[in-house]
């Protein structure tokens, strides 16, 4: 299961999976202009043009990480449990403005609450293998050599994006349900 497939990083991940014919399901939300399926179809057409060949389509699950149970039906959640062995979580909100200026408390709503929602659904589905796309921004305002296992050492943050990604990474790292991260 891939989140964030319509974004910059997630789109590259989807491209590589499609190019190598690795089956994938994508969690995508509809927007005002396009359904989830239309968004993915447009992306797949661009990838086919880029690669010069037809590509197998991913299974499209119309949902939203910001919703409880990802906004998915019971049927879709059972489908995930039956067909997905791992999750690649690349969905994120890259807003650098203060969360207090955003009516939905972004980026916390997506980066932290969305990760918690995804974690809950993956736990219920028995999916214990996670690939989490983080960011070097979790280092905050530190200088010098910073190691990957130092996600939260009391550093100061320059903005809420950095803090939200650190909190989300901590949530995943502390989950007893994840066997492989």
């Amino acid at each position: 299961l891939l989140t964030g497939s319509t974004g910059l990083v997630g789109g590259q991940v989807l491209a590589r999976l499609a190019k190598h014919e690795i089956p994938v399901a994508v969690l995508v939300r509809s927007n005002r202009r396009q359904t989830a399926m239309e968004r993915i179809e447009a992306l797949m057409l661009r990838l086919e043009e880029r690669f010069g060949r037809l590509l197998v389509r991913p299974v499209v699950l119309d949902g939203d990480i910001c919703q409880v149970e990802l906004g998915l039906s019971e049927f879709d959640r059972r489908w995930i449990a039956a067909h997905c062995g791992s999750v690649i979580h690349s969905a994120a909100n890259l807003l650098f403005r203060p969360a207090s200026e955003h009516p939905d408390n972004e980026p916390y709503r997506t980066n932290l609450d969305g990760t918690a929602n995804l974690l809950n659904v993956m736990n219920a589905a028995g999916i214990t293998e996670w690939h989490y796309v983080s960011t070097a921004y979790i280092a905050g305002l530190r200088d010098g050599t910073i190691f990957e296992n130092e996600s939260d050492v009391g550093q100061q943050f320059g903005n809420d994006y950095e803090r939200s990604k650190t909190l989300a990474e901590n949530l995943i790292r502390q989950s007893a349900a994840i066997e492989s991260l």
Side-chain angles (χ1 to χ4, degrees):
L1 178 69
L2 172 63
T3 69
S5 60
T6 59
L8 179 67
V9 173
Q12 292 299 314
V13 172
L14 179 59
R16 287 189 173 98
L17 293 170
K19 183 178 179 182
H20 295 288
E21 300 179 5
I22 297 170
V24 63
V26 293
L27 178 71
V28 180
R29 67 175 180 246
S30 296
N31 62 30
R32 283 177 261 154
R33 294 180 306 247
Q34 294 177 299
T35 66
M37 186 70 78
E38 289 169 339
R39 292 179 76 194
I40 291 300
E41 184 59 25
L43 177 57
M44 295 305 294
L45 290 172
R46 287 192 304 272
L47 292 176
E48 286 178 338
E49 186 175 320
R50 181 170 129 196
F51 296 136
R53 65 181 171 102
L54 295 177
L55 299 170
V56 175
R57 297 306 191 253
V59 172
V60 178
L61 300 169
D62 191 343
D64 183 346
I65 65 168
C66 295
Q67 300 294 318
V68 173
E69 296 185 332
L70 308 178
L72 296 173
S73 67
E74 168 109 11
F75 176 84
D76 286 342
R77 292 191 313 275
R78 276 196 246 148
W79 187 92
I80 289 170
H83 295 93
C84 296
S86 64
V87 62
I88 303 171
H89 182 32
S90 70
N93 182 296
L94 302 175
L95 187 69
F96 286 91
R97 287 190 348 240
S100 61
E101 293 178 6
H102 194 280
D104 291 328
N105 198 38
E106 289 293 3
Y108 294 101
R109 177 176 174 254
T110 297
N111 298 347
L112 182 58
D113 299 341
T115 297
N117 292 335
L118 183 62
L119 186 58
N120 289 337
V121 170
M122 295 303 101
N123 288 350
I127 296 173
T128 62
E129 181 180 320
W130 274 66
H131 305 270
Y132 178 68
V133 178
S134 189
T135 175
Y137 280 108
I138 68 164
L141 302 176
R142 293 188 285 163
D143 289 325
T145 303
I146 299 166
F147 295 97
E148 195 170 334
N149 64 349
E150 298 177 332
S151 64
D152 190 359
V153 294
Q155 68 269 38
Q156 289 186 313
F157 297 106
N159 55 60
D160 285 323
Y161 170 73
E162 296 171 359
R163 182 177 286 107
S164 71
K165 289 295 281 185
T166 300
L167 292 171
E169 187 166 318
N170 289 343
L171 183 69
I172 290 173
R173 286 178 184 262
Q174 295 167 3
S175 173
I178 296 175
E179 295 174 7
S180 175
L181 177 62

